[in-house]
Amino acid sequence: MTDTATPKPGKVRVPADDLRAFAAALLEKGGLSAEHARTTADVFVWAAQRGVESHGIARVPAYLDLLAKGVANAAPDLKVESTRPAAAVIDADRAPGPVALTAAADEAIERARAFGIASVGVRRTVHTGAIGYYVSRIAEQGLVGLGFVAGMPNMGYTGVKGAAVATSPLAVAVPAADRAPLLLDMATATIALGKIRQAKTNGTPLPENAAATADGTPTTDPEQAVMPLPLGGAKGSGMSLAFEMLTSVLVGAPIFAAFHSDDPAGRKHRQNALLSALDPAAFGGSAEDFTDAVDDTLATLKGLPVADDADGVYYPGERSAALAVQRGADGVPVAPKVWRDLTERAAASGITPPATV
């Protein structure tokens, strides 16, 4: 596969393992335990290898700032609460999202192994990172993974003036036999906030009905845009509200109602999540029968006639998985500004940056 994100002049490439170790060292200096630092770095590099730059290695400085400001808890006391065998809630104690959601994914895997299906909610975490990582972690164990996240309102809602709901993502990972897992990882917004900032930097217009001004008026002017609009209008905003119910309300930590109340504490940054794992063997047949059928389904899709303006037929996650393999071999590209920030922080902490390729 051709790397569609080939570094522009000035970008550097860093071997994935070295980048992971470097990020972990910085995060540990920032206050995380060695284990939590490795876990968080793994999520960032996973995203970077797959071309998800918004949740990749560029997140390291942002997380260091969250830790320094006390928004994220460097030494969280994660507590697992459960009254039913196939369900649990992890109180994250403001742990970084990669720490809390990795623990939730592993908890869901263990319970699904025993009971066929399990759901684990996460309460009071801070920025979940790439949600596709956690459902992929579940799929690596031969289980189907589903994930939902709710966060702080930063997106419009159909019929509402101003920001109302969050750009809440969902992710689904389905294991296959001889192919990369199907991985659907999407937000409920038409455009990412990072894309709005990028358009402002480049001075390029935004797509129609993708972003809005502070009062919710659609605009293509990146200088006026402050928030994304929901994907598919009422469909995207409705999905976001539903995810608030499936996560925040379900685990007893509502965000939406608190944010729009008169209590200033309601605007304190936090996120909630729900991860579910399903064992295909619990639904009849064997796990092998299931993954073989998944492969057959994907092969059928890829065998369909290719549209004149398309370069092929791809299933969700296929191209990002191929890109991850390529970047695993060739190194992970890092933008000059991000690399400069990382190396400056490393110098201040006495950490030697890895060699670039």
Side-chain angles (χ1 to χ4, degrees), residues 65-260:
D65 292 343
L66 289 174
L67 291 165
K69 294 174 182 176
V71 175
N73 187 354
D77 180 18
L78 273 67
K79 291 186 173 67
V80 179
E81 306 168 1
S82 178
T83 59
R84 305 287 176 87
V89 174
I90 293 180
D91 191 301
D93 190 27
R94 294 184 298 106
V99 173
L101 269 73
T102 297
D106 292 346
E107 187 75 21
I109 290 167
E110 181 179 349
R111 290 173 183 254
R113 288 278 186 225
F115 304 104
I117 185 170
S119 293
V120 179
V122 176
R123 176 195 302 132
R124 294 194 307 141
T125 188
V126 177
H127 194 271
T128 54
I131 189 174
Y133 173 91
Y134 313 109
V135 295
S136 293
R137 189 179 182 92
I138 293 171
E140 286 172 0
Q141 300 302 312
L143 309 175
V144 175
L146 297 88
F148 307 93
V149 170
M152 307 302 290
N154 59 355
M155 181 177 78
Y157 186 95
T158 302
V160 174
K161 185 176 181 178
V165 292
T167 55
S168 301
L170 71 91
V172 179
V174 182
D178 299 316
R179 296 180 180 272
L182 179 147
L183 174 59
L184 174 67
D185 186 350
M186 58 173 282
T188 50
T190 299
I191 190 172
L193 280 166
K195 293 291 186 182
I196 296 176
R197 290 191 289 267
Q198 186 177 24
K200 184 178 295 186
T201 300
N202 298 336
T204 55
L206 294 163
E208 293 281 351
N209 297 314
T213 61
D215 67 359
T217 302
T219 181
T220 60
D221 184 353
E223 293 295 334
Q224 300 297 319
V226 298
M227 64 179 177
L229 289 171
L231 181 67
K235 294 178 181 179
S237 56
M239 288 171 65
S240 177
L241 188 62
F243 297 165
E244 165 75 0
M245 303 296 187
L246 291 173
T247 58
S248 307
V249 175
L250 190 66
V251 301
I255 292 177
F256 177 84
F259 181 89
H260 292 291

Side-chain angles (χ1 to χ4, degrees), residues 219-349:
T219 181
T220 60
D221 184 353
E223 293 295 334
Q224 300 297 319
V226 298
M227 64 179 177
L229 289 171
L231 181 67
K235 294 178 181 179
S237 56
M239 288 171 65
S240 177
L241 188 62
F243 297 165
E244 165 75 0
M245 303 296 187
L246 291 173
T247 58
S248 307
V249 175
L250 190 66
V251 301
I255 292 177
F256 177 84
F259 181 89
H260 292 291
S261 73
D262 295 328
D263 184 357
R267 293 177 176 260
K268 185 176 181 180
H269 176 77
R270 62 211 184 276
Q271 293 186 351
N272 301 308
L274 181 73
L275 294 179
S276 297
L278 291 73
D279 185 349
F283 293 83
S286 67
E288 291 75 16
D289 289 340
F290 176 76
T291 53
D292 285 345
V294 170
D295 274 15
D296 183 54
T297 301
L298 298 178
T300 300
L301 172 72
K302 293 186 68 62
L304 296 176
V306 179
D308 293 340
D309 59 349
D311 64 352
V313 178
Y314 303 96
Y315 62 87
E318 181 181 5
R319 284 180 285 193
S320 64
L323 182 59
V325 171
Q326 181 175 333
R327 289 185 171 184
D330 299 340
V332 180
V334 182
K337 182 178 179 181
V338 174
W339 186 245
R340 184 167 57 251
D341 193 351
L342 292 173
T343 53
E344 287 175 355
R345 290 173 186 262
S349 300

Side-chain angles (χ1 to χ4, degrees), residues 5-88:
T6 298
K8 298 177 181 178
K11 278 195 174 184
V12 300
R13 282 190 184 271
V14 184
D17 288 343
D18 294 346
L19 189 60
R20 188 178 293 107
F22 181 43
L26 286 168
L27 290 163
E28 189 172 355
K29 281 288 187 179
L32 292 181
S33 68
E35 179 185 0
H36 287 177
R38 287 192 299 269
T39 296
T40 304
D42 195 47
V43 175
F44 293 157
V45 174
W46 181 92
Q49 281 190 246
R50 284 156 179 78
V52 189
E53 314 300 348
S54 61
H55 288 68
I57 205 67
R59 281 290 175 181
V60 172
Y63 272 52
L64 290 172
D65 292 343
L66 289 174
L67 291 165
K69 294 174 182 176
V71 175
N73 187 354
D77 180 18
L78 273 67
K79 291 186 173 67
V80 179
E81 306 168 1
S82 178
T83 59
R84 305 287 176 87

